[in-house]
Amino acid sequence: PSMSAFESGIAGHDVSMRITMRQQAIDSRRGEVAGLMGLSGIHNILLVATIQEELEELLQSQSRDRTAKYNADVEEGMRSQAASAAVAAAEAEAHARAAAELKTNQEAEEAAAKEIEAALLVTPA
């Protein structure tokens, strides 16, 4: 039982239509995949941009932190120098008082020695 030319033509057309529909489904799926890949690419670009922004913010924050620490260190150094200068000034003042007191004591001893000398000269032996 062979097919007539008409039946053979219909069967061939049927196969051809199924192939065409299958090809259209594959093309449609490719379009969907390409669209998703396009969206994925856009998503990746946005993700990279977000990461870059966050990195820049982090770097700026670290820079601000370093600047603040540097300023605090400089301020601490200045306070330390001022404290050292105050200690040195207090020590210099104490030395000056001690020197003045020593001079006063020497002058008093010299005056006492002169008085003793004068008294010995006045007192007959």
Side-chain angles (χ1 to χ4, degrees), residues 60-103:
Q60 288 176 353
S61 174
Q62 288 176 340
S63 177
R64 284 191 299 267
D65 291 349
R66 279 194 301 272
T67 300
K69 176 155 179 23
Y70 173 79
N71 289 343
D73 289 348
V74 167
E75 195 173 307
E76 179 61 30
M78 291 173 69
R79 273 197 295 271
S80 176
Q81 286 179 345
S84 295
V87 167
E91 287 176 353
E93 186 179 335
H95 285 296
R97 273 199 309 270
E101 192 175 317
L102 184 62
K103 185 176 181 186

Side-chain angles (χ1 to χ4, degrees), residues 6 12 14 17 23 25 30-31 41-42 44 46-47 53 62 65 78 89-90 92-93 106 109 111 115:
F6 179 73
D14 189 39
M17 284 299 291
Q23 189 62 47
R30 278 189 186 142
I42 290 171
N44 286 343
L46 292 174
L47 186 61
E53 287 175 11
Q62 288 176 340
D65 291 349
M78 291 173 69
E93 186 179 335
Q106 285 175 339
E109 286 176 14
E115 284 181 25

